[in-house]
Amino acid sequence: MKRRDFLKTSVVAGVALSLNFEGLQAALSSNTVAVEQAPDLVAVMGGEPAVMLDKALEALGGIGKYIKKGQKVVIKPNIGWDRTPELAGNTNPELIKALVKKCFEAGAEKVTVFDHTCDNWQKCYETSGIAAVKEAGGIIMPGNDEKYFKEVDIPDGVTLKKAKIHESLIEADAWINVPILKNHGGAKLSCAMKNMMGIVWDRRFFHQNDLQQCIADICTWKKKPVLNIVDAYRMMHQNGPQGKSAADVATLKSMIVSPNIVAVDTAALALFNQVKKLDMAAVGHLSKGEALKLGSTDLKKINIKRIKI
């Protein structure tokens, strides 16, 4: 596959811009694995969400590698804002609906979808389109009340030593982390690691006690996601995490998938950088997560498969 063919798309940011994504190509080109090898990370570009999900899961060995028959499964998107899909404030609803179906195909007994939203939870679920997972058999559960959260220990955390985590995750057999890639005023980048703030009740502690470290700390919780699926179909490159208008959104038609939460966010940052420059040093939770042995920021150390649809 030619490098120029891998990351080729258009950006909607007031005017159409042509991108060649040379930076991410360089990061991923030298260590692409052969088809017969199981990759550590899959990057897919050029398709609709359900199609890209199919391709990524197939490359990783199938959904059955991660979700088993009879399991209670939780899918954790970003549903924080009362925004339509076009504004890229929340995870793409078509992706979540397709993933719910995949989990049931794998034999899941129950699939629950939730987030601790910032805006009114009913409005967030409806306006985002994610409430439609009910059509696929998914159960939507609110996270707007402390009664849904139970305290757990975070023994490997540096700053965060305890947290109240949503009961659906505590009771789940497996869960999948499905963030949308976007700009964030405080954390600088909102992706898989940042999305885990939505599983806790007291987020004020994060903001008052070294946000970047606390993001890394919560990712050390013993029940880690079996997969991290980064939605970059549309990407908010400025004015995050809510966004203001379509001018804040780049249409990339991309997806990055890996069990490795640090690597998937590092690859997502490389993608983000093709639209707007953001130094890794500014995204402090990446290096802090690496220091906590959650994964590597060195993409040369992992096997990556690229798929162009």
Side-chain angles (χ1 to χ4, degrees):
M1 187 184 297
K2 294 181 179 179
R3 292 175 65 203
R4 66 175 179 275
D5 292 330
F6 173 45
L7 294 171
K8 186 186 297 180
T9 186
S10 61
V11 175
V12 180
V15 296
L17 302 176
S18 177
L19 301 177
N20 60 21
F21 290 94
E22 285 294 325
L24 185 56
Q25 290 178 49
L28 303 186
S29 62
S30 63
N31 57 322
T32 301
V33 296
V35 173
E36 64 271 15
Q37 292 180 273
D40 301 310
L41 181 149
V42 177
V44 189
M45 301 200 71
E48 294 304 303
V51 175
M52 289 193 290
L53 179 64
D54 281 344
K55 295 292 186 182
L57 292 175
E58 180 183 2
L60 286 165
I63 188 66
K65 183 176 177 181
Y66 305 97
I67 302 300
K68 308 301 181 184
K69 185 176 180 179
Q71 285 188 330
K72 296 177 182 177
V73 178
V74 169
I75 295 171
K76 166 58 178 75
N78 188 324
I79 328 174
W81 306 100
D82 182 13
R83 296 287 189 273
T84 61
E86 291 74 22
L87 294 178
N90 307 300
T91 307
N92 191 297
E94 294 303 317
L95 170 57
I96 301 304
K97 188 174 180 179
L99 185 57
V100 168
K101 291 179 179 178
K102 284 289 183 185
C103 290
F104 280 123
E105 288 174 10
E109 176 187 320
K110 177 182 178 182
V111 181
T112 302
V113 178
F114 94 96
D115 190 14
H116 181 186
T117 63
C118 299
D119 292 336
N120 175 274
W121 79 272
Q122 290 101 331
K123 290 183 177 179
C124 289
Y125 282 40
E126 292 294 335
T127 306
S128 70
I130 290 176
V133 300
K134 292 182 288 187
E135 300 169 7
I139 298 169
I140 59 171
M141 188 172 180
N144 66 323
D145 194 306
E146 193 171 359
K147 70 181 181 182
Y148 297 116
F149 296 78
K150 299 177 181 178
E151 188 171 87
V152 302
D153 291 327
I154 313 292
D156 295 326
V158 174
T159 300
L160 186 71
K161 292 295 186 180
K162 291 182 181 292
K164 288 187 175 181
I165 289 180
H166 199 280
E167 63 185 15
S168 66
L169 279 179
I170 293 173
E171 297 166 2
D173 298 305
W175 71 284
I176 303 175
N177 186 18
V178 196
I180 187 168
L181 173 60
K182 60 179 179 177
N183 165 252
H184 189 279
K188 305 307 176 186
L189 186 79
S190 182
C191 200
M193 294 180 71
K194 173 65 175 62
N195 197 44
M196 286 188 64
M197 280 184 69
I199 73 174
V200 303
W201 174 249
D202 186 9
R203 294 182 292 214
R204 292 173 300 178
F205 182 89
F206 283 63
H207 289 284
Q208 295 168 358
N209 295 274
D210 191 345
L211 175 62
Q212 301 285 4
Q213 185 63 62
C214 286
I215 291 172
D217 288 350
I218 192 60
C219 295
T220 68
W221 181 46
K222 64 179 181 180
K223 187 177 285 186
K224 295 176 175 56
V226 295
L227 268 182
N228 302 283
I229 302 174
V230 176
D231 166 30
Y233 187 88
R234 301 180 185 92
M235 186 191 80
M236 185 189 300
H237 56 85
Q238 60 187 13
N239 294 318
Q242 296 187 59
K244 295 180 179 180
S245 70
D248 300 327
V249 179
T251 300
L252 305 181
K253 291 191 174 182
S254 304
M255 183 180 297
I256 306 173
V257 184
S258 177
N260 186 324
I261 198 167
V262 174
V264 84
D265 275 11
T266 301
L269 174 60
L271 179 59
F272 187 95
N273 265 289
Q274 307 316 306
V275 181
K276 181 158 291 186
K277 182 66 176 175
L278 178 60
D279 291 335
M280 184 179 291
V283 189
H285 56 267
L286 291 179
S287 61
K288 292 178 186 297
E290 185 171 38
L292 288 169
K293 303 187 184 307
L294 293 169
S296 176
T297 60
D298 186 353
L299 296 180
K300 294 179 181 179
K301 292 182 178 179
I302 66 172
N303 295 326
I304 297 172
K305 181 175 178 61
R306 299 175 297 158
I307 299 171
K308 172 72 165 60
I309 296 175

